[in-house]
Amino acid sequence: MPAEPRFSAPARVADGTNGSAHAAVALTGVTKQFGKITALDAVSLFVRHGELMTLLGPSGCGKTTLLHLVAGFLIPESGEIAIDGQRITDVPAYRREIGIMFQNYALFPHMSVAGNVGYGLRMRRIARPEIDRRIADALALVKLAGLEERRPRQLSGGQQQRVALARALVIRPKVLLLDEPFSALDRNLRASMQVELKEIQRKLGVTTIFVTHDQSEALSLSDRIAVIADGRIRQLNTPHEVYRHPSDRFVASFIGDANVLRAHLERIEGAVASVALGAARVTVPMRTLEGSAVGSAVDLFVRPEDLRVAETDAAAAAHGTIAAQIYQGGHIDLYVDAPEVSSGRVLLRVPSHEAASLRPAGTRIAIALAADVAIAFRSA
Amino acid sequence: MARASVRSGRAAVRPFLRLFVAPAVLCALGFAAALAAVMQYSLRAYVPGSLEAGGFTLANFAALIRPLYARVFLDTVWICFLTASFTLIVGYPLAYALVHARNVALKSAILVIAVTPLFLGEVVRTYSWIVVLGNNGFLNSMLLKLGLVDAPMQFMFTEFGVITALVHVTLPVMVIMLAAALSHIDRDYERAAASLGAGPIRVFLTVTLPLSTPGIIAGVTTAFAWTFSAFATPQLIGGGRVNMVANLVYQLGFASFNFPFAASLSVAGLILTFAVLALMRAAASPLERIRQH
Ligand SMILES: Nc1ncnc2c1ncn2[C@@H]1O[C@H](COP(=O)(O)OP(=O)(O)O)[C@@H](O)[C@H]1O
Ligand SMILES: [Mg+2]
């Protein structure tokens, strides 16, 4: 899928054979097969210098495969991979200068923390005093100074993760690859590690490819997100653009919570259309509605925070019965049965301070649209 | 609550525990009884010309230190040591290839070569080695044809011949144990090492090999103990000129009918095996924590 023009400039440049010189990592038409399974299907991806690019997609969509191709653990059937403008498609992993952090960290159990972090430096035959200095710097960077002599198994999960990060960064890699690094951590630790990773990545300015299947993690960390499904990139853009302007139905439902509401196409005006939902009207782009005629049914995707409890019936998009009210601190999640627009429950996310006026479960309410722009797809 | 549910869960999961343990206990009792009988015999006096043993004595064990017998013990330990070492050297590459090969045909070939001999039995395998090692055997006719030797070389009835056959007999166990250890090494360790700049040889030396030491130790100790009790191979290929403990036990027990002395030899062999294995474990324990700093 092509990205929005605004964000796809480097990709356009890379159409030629040497255009990828502008990208830190460039994949051009890369295909990887395992027997009959096509794990990646003619994928092109251009990562800019210093950016944190997230590969987001469901399990089995090819994220790890893509990372392993960049790292050199796999060779593609076709296509080219370049780093800093140099073709490395068949350069072995140990000559690629890439730092990688594995999901289970893969710390060498028979080496100390210092032994692990210094491994890449020893392989480069760097002088001992410099190795020691760089190990100390790297451990200070990840806030683990003083644990040099510990064994990996004597560390907590969070500490092991930091060692793995230090080990990958100490070689000053051209690219840092992270494969679902936070999936094994508990929720609180995950959040603080995310912030820390982002800080370290900014500070060092290292080009980073981050793999996750967790859309909220992708939204909070990334400079840009590549949404992948079935071995293809569906959309590549900033978190905000991907969230607000998903390119297709898959992206719209995979990223963030979305209510799918039965509406109909009322008017087409060039590139945009007007969709009617009850008494409400909302503008949607026509690009996702190719071929739909005026009057036909469409699926309107509305974020929970774009729905409100209507004060009056005048602008009501739908009516429903409150099924459950879940207090989330800053906001309240309202689950509403509204059979006229959705077979499932409709989710409204309202700020807590507005909730005081709400009535308990079982009361009938009118739902209004809080946004005048949304996205719709042809009814499935 | 969680603990209570775990406990009740356990009781629920093992309702047949006693039923399953019963046969194991019976077997163990049988072994213990046999061992006790052998031990008991080893402490009895030999009455020449009689199958009945005499009174209790330590004379059998005192006789063990006679050079004739001590020599057989030393030879056995030496043969076991060499066999275990060569089996490791031959078995490691096979196990490595078995685990790492992508090619299915190569994998099956290695399995057939290294593991199926296990099902042939020691005697059959040893006979096949007689065919190979004999004066008119395969090896000698090759050497003669290639002009490397003028006259057939003596392989039968030599330590070389016995060890060669023993390595073959022991190889399947070694390959299975090493392959098990190697296949449990997460490939991400090797990938991590490669990404950090280690070429294939250094990945092997600094990561794969150290991480496979538990398998090496298990394989070598098993090969050692396995070889220590070897009987058919040294009997057939050694032909009385290369004697291991089991052959001596056989001669004394079934040629001289000196059951008490044969029993004390067996007990001594058992103790020696345990001693050597304990020694090997002790020597290997620093290896289990190879430091790389
Ligand atoms: N070594 C392999 N052999 C066979 N199939 C593989 C191998 N690695 C990955 N695959 C398949 O390729 C697809 C993509 O896998 P992967 O890249 O690991 O997905 P993800 O990391 O997004 O969960 C999956 O269908 C997976 O089963
Ligand atoms: Mg994966």
Side-chain angles (χ1 to χ4, degrees), chain B residues 19 62 95 182 243 264:
Chain B
L19 202 64
L182 284 168
N243 279 316
S264 63

Side-chain angles (χ1 to χ4, degrees), chain A residues 170-181:
Chain A
V170 78
I171 59 167
R172 295 173 189 154
K174 290 178 181 160
V175 185
L176 177 64
L177 307 176
L178 307 159
D179 195 352
E180 311 215 8

Side-chain angles (χ1 to χ4, degrees), chain A residues 34-35 37-39 57-66 74 179-180 211:
Chain A
F34 296 105
I37 299 170
T38 302
S59 185
C61 71
K63 306 180 296 290
T64 298
T65 303
L66 199 158
L74 295 171
D179 195 352
E180 311 215 8
V211 162

